[in-house]
Each structure stands twice: as structure tokens, then as C-alpha cells.
Amino acid sequence: MLLFSGGPIFESSIPLSVFGIDRQDAGVPRYRLLVCGGEEGPLRTTGGLELTAPYGLEAISRAGTVVVPAWRSITSPPPAEALEALRRAHEEGARIVGLCTGAFVLAAAGLLDGRPATTHWMYAPTLAKRYPSVHVDPRELFVDDGDVLTSAGTAAGIDLCLHIVRTDHGTEAAGALARRLVVPQRRSGGQERYLDRSLPEEIGSDPLAEVVAWALEHLHEQFDVETLAARAYMSRRTFDRRFRSLTGSAPLQWLITQRVLQAQRLLETSEYSVDEVAGRCGFRSPVALRGHFRRQLGSSPAAYRAAYRARRPQGGGAEPVTAVTEPVVPAQGNGAIRRAAATAAPPGPHVITAPTAGPVQSEQGKPGPDAYTTGRPTLPGQRSAP
């Protein structure tokens, strides 16, 4: 496990909890975990805590798996010595894992070139823009590309670490560990449910920001990408290329995602019929709304509203956290997600290969989008957040 100063303590604690505790009494095979400092200590973390890693970069050469749980800043380069140690370990056959923003360290080391990868949905456009040879897929909770693996933000690191245990020792061992951690053995769905409608930080001062802001304010109207391109005084091809370079997302898919998000809000907060919701979100027909809604959220609009209202407490207040009662989703074979993005159409420059990412930005002072308790209803075929 490779630690850096400034990394969040939650992500850093995940591999410690999964690989660093002896749970053989519960049927969980034991790993030998070495915690290595990626730079000179002491290493500062969340809350001003200081950590001292017992090992340095030289210990990485002994590892069969190297986990980078997080990186402190998506805008600054990791230490060159750490990147070289990662490259050398990979060349010698080690499996390299990046949790959340740890994907930026792997990308800086060149280990994600030409590969599918994921990271926190909020940082996916930045990863795609900074490392255009990486096939960034912001839909997945994690991506297994064999000897290089990446996960989405925060709690998704648990999903990937459980997947590693399942790969190494089978479903039974992963199930035993999941029970000890009190988490689902395998969560269904991806990051789509957490996508925000906000603008990414990179677009804030760009001329396209005004066009995107206009689109968000007029989602109730029927307009298409050609309309947005005209407002930007660009051809459709130039607009598509410019939009992708700024956000990592195709403008059409971004627009559809924003309309679906708006439909979610109206279904939750209004008494409009599904047909009326479709019209107020700019869909040309209720059929179009139902199709896009089901593809993104795995449920019909009516079922979503019913599930949401069924979970709302009487008299208002915070929604309770309900237990998961549906059966465990069968584990897929090793590499089930492997090459998912790589097999898609070849991406152009600065392109996120997944079709569902929308531009996003950090929300200071708000709970993380992939926090375990989301306040969203459990949809048919989906598992409630643990």
C-alpha cells in the first residue's frame, strides 16, 4: 500500500481494513500488507493527523499487488521516485490498483495508457482531459483490466478490494469478508445515480459555460445539440469537439443525462403525471423519457416514484436507512468488466469513452456523492446503499 501526504484517511483505511487485518477465524485468507510512504514523512491526512509509514519505496519491489488508495491533488504531479517505483513493480509482474484519485497516480506513471479505467465521477472529465490515451469510463464502480485495476470514489474502493479477494480466493472468501465489514458482497449498478448537474471546474471561465448554463435553465424546452452549437456560434462538429475537450462527455449524452436528472427531481417533488414530467423535461414524448430513464436508472419513472414515496417517512424528516433484503447478486468471473471501454468505438482526443458522464464539479461542504447513505430509493433490480 502506497501512501502520500495529503490523502484522505477514509480511502487510505480501506486497504488496511481489507488486507491488513487477520480474519482467518472467519474464513478470510490472510494477506501480508506492507504500508509504504511514497514520499518523506510524516504524512499528513484528514483532520491534521500525521502518519508514519513503516516502509519506504524500496519495499514495493517485494509486492505482488500495489494499492494506491488516493492522491492529494488532481492538479499536481506525483513524486517522480514513486512513479518510477510503480513502473518498475508493474514491469516485474505486480498487480497495480488505484482507488478513487489514485487513478491519477497510475495515469501519471503511464500505466493506464490505452487501457479502460475509472475514477470518482467528479474527476473523470479531468482525468480524460489530462490523459487522453486513457479510456475513462465514469459509469463503473471499478474496472478490472487484469494487471491494472481502478475504482470510483470513496466507498467504491471497498467494492474493488472485495473484487480482488474474490479473484484471489473465490466468492466464499469474499462473502465472509463482506459480512465482517457489514457491506454487500457485490453492489449492482454504477456511478450514474450519483452524477451531478453542475458544471465542471474547468468550464467555469470558458465561453461555452454560458451556453451550458442556458441549457440547464431551459431543460423544460425542446432543443437539441444543434441549438446549443448555434448559440455558441459553432458548427455542430466544432461544438462536439470543444464540448468533449472541456467535459470529457458527448454533448448529446450530457443533455439526455440532465433531462433524466430533472425528471428524477420532478418525480420526487411534484404531483405531475409521467406524461407531464416528460414535457417539463424537454423529452419529445413520454416514451422517450421512459426509455432513457430506464437505461440510466434501471427503473421506469412510475416505479421510481413509487419506491421513493414508499421510503419517505411520515411527517417529513430524514429518510431512514433500510436493510437490504434481496439476494446477493451472483459474482461474475474474473475480468467481467475488463476491456469494457476498450472494446467500444476508438475515442478521440480528451474523450471519456462512457456515454453517460456529464460535466460535474466539486461541491464544497456537501456529503460525497458516493456516500453510503444517498437518500435515493431502492429501485427494482437495484440494491439500496448500505
Side-chain angles (χ1 to χ4, degrees), residues 19-25 28-30 180:
F19 305 116
I21 299 177
D22 185 355
R23 295 190 176 92
Q24 294 181 88
D25 62 322
V28 180
R30 185 175 183 179
R180 272 296 184 94

mmCIF file of all heavy atoms in Angstrom, residues 19-25 28-30 180:
data_model
loop_
_atom_site.group_PDB
_atom_site.id
_atom_site.type_symbol
_atom_site.label_atom_id
_atom_site.label_comp_id
_atom_site.label_asym_id
_atom_site.label_seq_id
_atom_site.Cartn_x
_atom_site.Cartn_y
_atom_site.Cartn_z
ATOM 1 N N PHE A 19 -7.049 -5.806 3.688
ATOM 2 C CA PHE A 19 -5.868 -6.654 3.539
ATOM 3 C C PHE A 19 -4.969 -6.697 4.778
ATOM 4 O O PHE A 19 -4.080 -7.540 4.858
ATOM 5 C CB PHE A 19 -5.027 -6.179 2.343
ATOM 6 C CG PHE A 19 -5.793 -6.112 1.057
ATOM 7 C CD1 PHE A 19 -6.003 -4.899 0.409
ATOM 8 C CD2 PHE A 19 -6.315 -7.253 0.475
ATOM 9 C CE1 PHE A 19 -6.696 -4.828 -0.785
ATOM 10 C CE2 PHE A 19 -7.026 -7.198 -0.717
ATOM 11 C CZ PHE A 19 -7.220 -5.980 -1.341
ATOM 12 N N GLY A 20 -5.190 -5.785 5.734
ATOM 13 C CA GLY A 20 -4.233 -5.660 6.835
ATOM 14 C C GLY A 20 -4.658 -6.267 8.151
ATOM 15 O O GLY A 20 -3.934 -6.161 9.138
ATOM 16 N N ILE A 21 -5.837 -6.908 8.210
ATOM 17 C CA ILE A 21 -6.335 -7.496 9.449
ATOM 18 C C ILE A 21 -6.469 -9.004 9.277
ATOM 19 O O ILE A 21 -6.999 -9.478 8.265
ATOM 20 C CB ILE A 21 -7.689 -6.877 9.845
ATOM 21 C CG1 ILE A 21 -7.534 -5.371 10.071
ATOM 22 C CG2 ILE A 21 -8.255 -7.544 11.095
ATOM 23 C CD1 ILE A 21 -8.833 -4.660 10.394
ATOM 24 N N ASP A 22 -6.004 -9.737 10.251
ATOM 25 C CA ASP A 22 -6.075 -11.201 10.210
ATOM 26 C C ASP A 22 -7.492 -11.648 10.582
ATOM 27 O O ASP A 22 -7.918 -11.526 11.733
ATOM 28 C CB ASP A 22 -5.056 -11.794 11.185
ATOM 29 C CG ASP A 22 -4.996 -13.330 11.082
ATOM 30 O OD1 ASP A 22 -5.808 -13.899 10.320
ATOM 31 O OD2 ASP A 22 -4.154 -13.928 11.769
ATOM 32 N N ARG A 23 -8.229 -12.137 9.601
ATOM 33 C CA ARG A 23 -9.595 -12.627 9.831
ATOM 34 C C ARG A 23 -9.714 -14.100 9.435
ATOM 35 O O ARG A 23 -10.762 -14.547 8.957
ATOM 36 C CB ARG A 23 -10.603 -11.785 9.036
ATOM 37 C CG ARG A 23 -10.689 -10.324 9.474
ATOM 38 C CD ARG A 23 -11.869 -9.648 8.796
ATOM 39 N NE ARG A 23 -12.048 -8.271 9.247
ATOM 40 C CZ ARG A 23 -11.521 -7.210 8.655
ATOM 41 N NH1 ARG A 23 -10.744 -7.379 7.597
ATOM 42 N NH2 ARG A 23 -11.741 -5.995 9.117
ATOM 43 N N GLN A 24 -8.664 -14.850 9.603
ATOM 44 C CA GLN A 24 -8.691 -16.268 9.229
ATOM 45 C C GLN A 24 -9.743 -17.033 10.019
ATOM 46 O O GLN A 24 -10.257 -18.048 9.552
ATOM 47 C CB GLN A 24 -7.309 -16.886 9.440
ATOM 48 C CG GLN A 24 -6.246 -16.307 8.504
ATOM 49 C CD GLN A 24 -4.895 -16.933 8.703
ATOM 50 O OE1 GLN A 24 -4.579 -17.959 8.091
ATOM 51 N NE2 GLN A 24 -4.083 -16.341 9.570
ATOM 52 N N ASP A 25 -10.079 -16.558 11.221
ATOM 53 C CA ASP A 25 -11.116 -17.235 12.005
ATOM 54 C C ASP A 25 -12.476 -17.165 11.342
ATOM 55 O O ASP A 25 -13.365 -17.964 11.620
ATOM 56 C CB ASP A 25 -11.192 -16.614 13.403
ATOM 57 C CG ASP A 25 -11.568 -15.136 13.351
ATOM 58 O OD1 ASP A 25 -11.101 -14.443 12.434
ATOM 59 O OD2 ASP A 25 -12.332 -14.693 14.230
ATOM 60 N N VAL A 28 -11.462 -15.909 6.059
ATOM 61 C CA VAL A 28 -10.877 -14.956 5.114
ATOM 62 C C VAL A 28 -9.375 -15.207 5.038
ATOM 63 O O VAL A 28 -8.685 -15.106 6.059
ATOM 64 C CB VAL A 28 -11.139 -13.506 5.554
ATOM 65 C CG1 VAL A 28 -10.524 -12.531 4.555
ATOM 66 C CG2 VAL A 28 -12.636 -13.258 5.701
ATOM 67 N N PRO A 29 -8.842 -15.557 3.873
ATOM 68 C CA PRO A 29 -7.393 -15.779 3.746
ATOM 69 C C PRO A 29 -6.612 -14.533 4.138
ATOM 70 O O PRO A 29 -7.062 -13.397 3.942
ATOM 71 C CB PRO A 29 -7.211 -16.107 2.257
ATOM 72 C CG PRO A 29 -8.552 -16.592 1.820
ATOM 73 C CD PRO A 29 -9.545 -15.813 2.616
ATOM 74 N N ARG A 30 -5.447 -14.736 4.688
ATOM 75 C CA ARG A 30 -4.652 -13.620 5.180
ATOM 76 C C ARG A 30 -3.712 -13.094 4.101
ATOM 77 O O ARG A 30 -3.087 -13.870 3.369
ATOM 78 C CB ARG A 30 -3.839 -14.050 6.396
ATOM 79 C CG ARG A 30 -3.074 -12.898 7.040
ATOM 80 C CD ARG A 30 -2.373 -13.327 8.309
ATOM 81 N NE ARG A 30 -1.699 -12.209 8.964
ATOM 82 C CZ ARG A 30 -1.022 -12.292 10.094
ATOM 83 N NH1 ARG A 30 -0.928 -13.476 10.700
ATOM 84 N NH2 ARG A 30 -0.442 -11.233 10.613
ATOM 85 N N ARG A 180 -18.126 -9.552 7.506
ATOM 86 C CA ARG A 180 -17.366 -8.925 8.582
ATOM 87 C C ARG A 180 -17.391 -7.395 8.466
ATOM 88 O O ARG A 180 -17.456 -6.676 9.464
ATOM 89 C CB ARG A 180 -15.906 -9.403 8.558
ATOM 90 C CG ARG A 180 -15.656 -10.673 9.342
ATOM 91 C CD ARG A 180 -15.922 -10.439 10.840
ATOM 92 N NE ARG A 180 -15.616 -11.602 11.644
ATOM 93 C CZ ARG A 180 -14.455 -11.810 12.258
ATOM 94 N NH1 ARG A 180 -13.484 -10.918 12.129
ATOM 95 N NH2 ARG A 180 -14.266 -12.880 12.985
#
